[in-house]
Amino acid sequence: MWIADKWKDFKVIDASSGEKLESWNGYKLIRPDPQVIWKTERDNVWKENISARYIRSERGGGKWEIFSLPEVFSISYRDLKFNLKPMGFKHTGLFPEQACNWDWADKIIRKCGYSPKILNLFAYTGGASLACSRAGASVCHVDASKGMTLWAKENASLCGISNIRFIVDDCVKFVRREIRRGKKYDAVIMDPPSYGRGPGGEIWKLENELFELLLLCLDVMSDNPLFFLLNSYTTGLSASCMEYMLGVTVKRKFGGRVEASEIGLPVEKSGLVLPCGASARWQNSVLGDK
């Protein structure tokens, strides 16, 4: 498992009975987590100074119960800074477990010897975009949500980053246009949802669209690309499945190697690791073990 264990402003304190207790720069949040199917004893840390809790509804969805959480709060990772806020369906605007992938991409970019062009699809609030830009890459950030893209711009401004190209568009349509324009990228990052809609009402269903998008991306990759990162939180799309798809697309065309794993966060109380999704990584063989 790839573990995001270098956070200073964030930690998972405990996890039990379908929920996780987290500290976000000192703010304690309780949020549901479908992975937490065990029932271990809860001590007083679950009751003391809780800032907010997301309560699921039996009818689906849910709502935040706010005690002492400001409307907007911030968190830092290395020299990156993010503004966060409680959103619908339990989210805060950041997935801390992705830091293990930010570190992986950062290392490759810093050692490649030039400023690579990165295409970040389904880019959300910009965590990977900011990490790659800070490492020295030129980033094209694409997301179908205008609101998420504005949020990503705010995060970039917080970090003093001004060289990211932000695009509000359906990711499939954008890649097709880039192919027609003859644009090329040295790396692709992709974090597709299970289901979504583009700005023009385009429907995305991962099981129907993902493989075709992977094939399309081959035509926007440079002749000697650096890496391809595929993330997923979709039940049923395992790390091994993503590894296979990158193997028969990116690896088949460019060589190199593919690896895949669950990603996770350390849990302070138990000393164990909470699984939080999966990733597959393709890396050019010329990079060796960088």
Side-chain angles (χ1 to χ4, degrees):
M1 183 182 289
W2 295 321
I3 305 170
D5 57 1
K6 295 180 174 58
W7 280 96
K8 296 181 179 179
D9 282 3
F10 171 86
K11 62 182 175 181
V12 179
I13 301 170
D14 197 8
S16 176
S17 304
E19 294 180 311
K20 54 188 175 182
L21 173 63
E22 306 162 313
S23 174
W24 296 76
N25 201 14
Y27 294 108
K28 289 172 68 176
L29 307 185
I30 298 176
R31 298 193 295 157
D33 191 316
Q35 299 274 17
V36 183
I37 61 174
W38 52 87
K39 296 181 180 181
T40 50
E41 182 180 357
R42 297 192 184 196
D43 56 23
N44 286 335
V45 73
W46 285 86
K47 302 176 183 179
E48 298 169 348
N49 302 315
I50 302 301
S51 302
R53 182 177 188 176
Y54 188 87
I55 308 295
R56 278 194 183 277
S57 169
E58 293 181 358
R59 299 179 180 178
K63 64 178 182 179
W64 283 96
E65 188 176 11
I66 305 294
F67 305 112
S68 60
L69 187 69
E71 185 175 340
V72 177
F73 58 103
S74 62
I75 191 170
S76 296
Y77 183 75
R78 296 195 323 249
D79 54 353
L80 302 174
K81 190 172 183 179
F82 307 93
N83 270 347
L84 307 178
K85 57 187 175 184
M87 300 168 58
F89 196 63
K90 76 179 181 180
H91 296 308
T92 63
L94 192 71
F95 293 89
E97 61 272 12
Q98 288 297 330
C100 64
N101 285 323
W102 304 343
D103 290 344
W104 175 77
D106 175 281
K107 186 179 296 186
I108 293 174
I109 293 166
R110 291 183 187 275
K111 291 186 176 182
C112 74
Y114 62 97
S115 178
K117 295 180 179 179
I118 310 292
L119 177 60
N120 187 11
L121 301 173
F122 310 97
Y124 197 48
T125 59
S129 296
L130 299 183
C132 290
S133 177
R134 183 70 86 203
S138 172
V139 181
C140 180
H141 172 115
V142 185
D143 197 281
S145 169
K146 183 177 180 180
M148 292 300 105
T149 304
L150 288 173
W151 194 342
K153 288 182 178 181
E154 292 174 5
N155 286 334
S157 180
L158 274 179
C159 297
I161 293 173
S162 59
N163 63 344
I164 297 174
R165 180 187 177 202
F166 291 99
I167 305 291
V168 178
D169 203 350
D170 174 77
C171 289
V172 175
K173 288 186 175 181
F174 179 78
V175 171
R176 286 176 176 154
R177 280 196 290 272
E178 292 291 85
I179 292 171
R180 292 196 295 268
R181 295 172 184 137
K183 295 292 183 67
K184 297 291 182 179
Y185 295 89
D186 301 300
V188 176
I189 297 171
M190 191 186 299
D191 196 348
S194 300
Y195 178 86
R197 287 186 179 272
E202 304 88 348
I203 295 176
W204 164 274
K205 289 185 178 180
L206 183 137
E207 64 271 22
N208 297 335
E209 308 286 348
L210 179 57
F211 188 71
E212 292 303 317
L213 181 54
L214 289 175
L215 291 174
L216 278 177
C217 285
L218 297 179
D219 291 330
V220 293
M221 298 180 75
S222 60
D223 292 338
N224 194 29
L226 291 174
F227 67 85
F228 197 115
L229 173 62
L230 176 61
N231 298 305
S232 175
Y233 292 92
T234 301
T235 302
L237 185 61
S238 66
S240 297
C241 181
M242 292 191 292
E243 181 178 12
Y244 194 99
M245 285 193 289
L246 289 187
V248 297
T249 54
V250 186
K251 183 179 179 181
R252 180 168 292 178
K253 181 171 182 178
F254 298 107
R257 60 187 176 89
V258 180
E259 56 183 350
S261 179
E262 288 184 287
I263 56 176
L265 291 162
V267 179
E268 183 178 64
K269 183 179 179 181
S270 67
L272 302 172
V273 178
L274 178 67
C276 301
S279 296
R281 302 167 175 174
W282 171 83
Q283 184 172 321
N284 195 318
S285 58
V286 301
L287 297 169
D289 293 325
K290 292 180 180 180

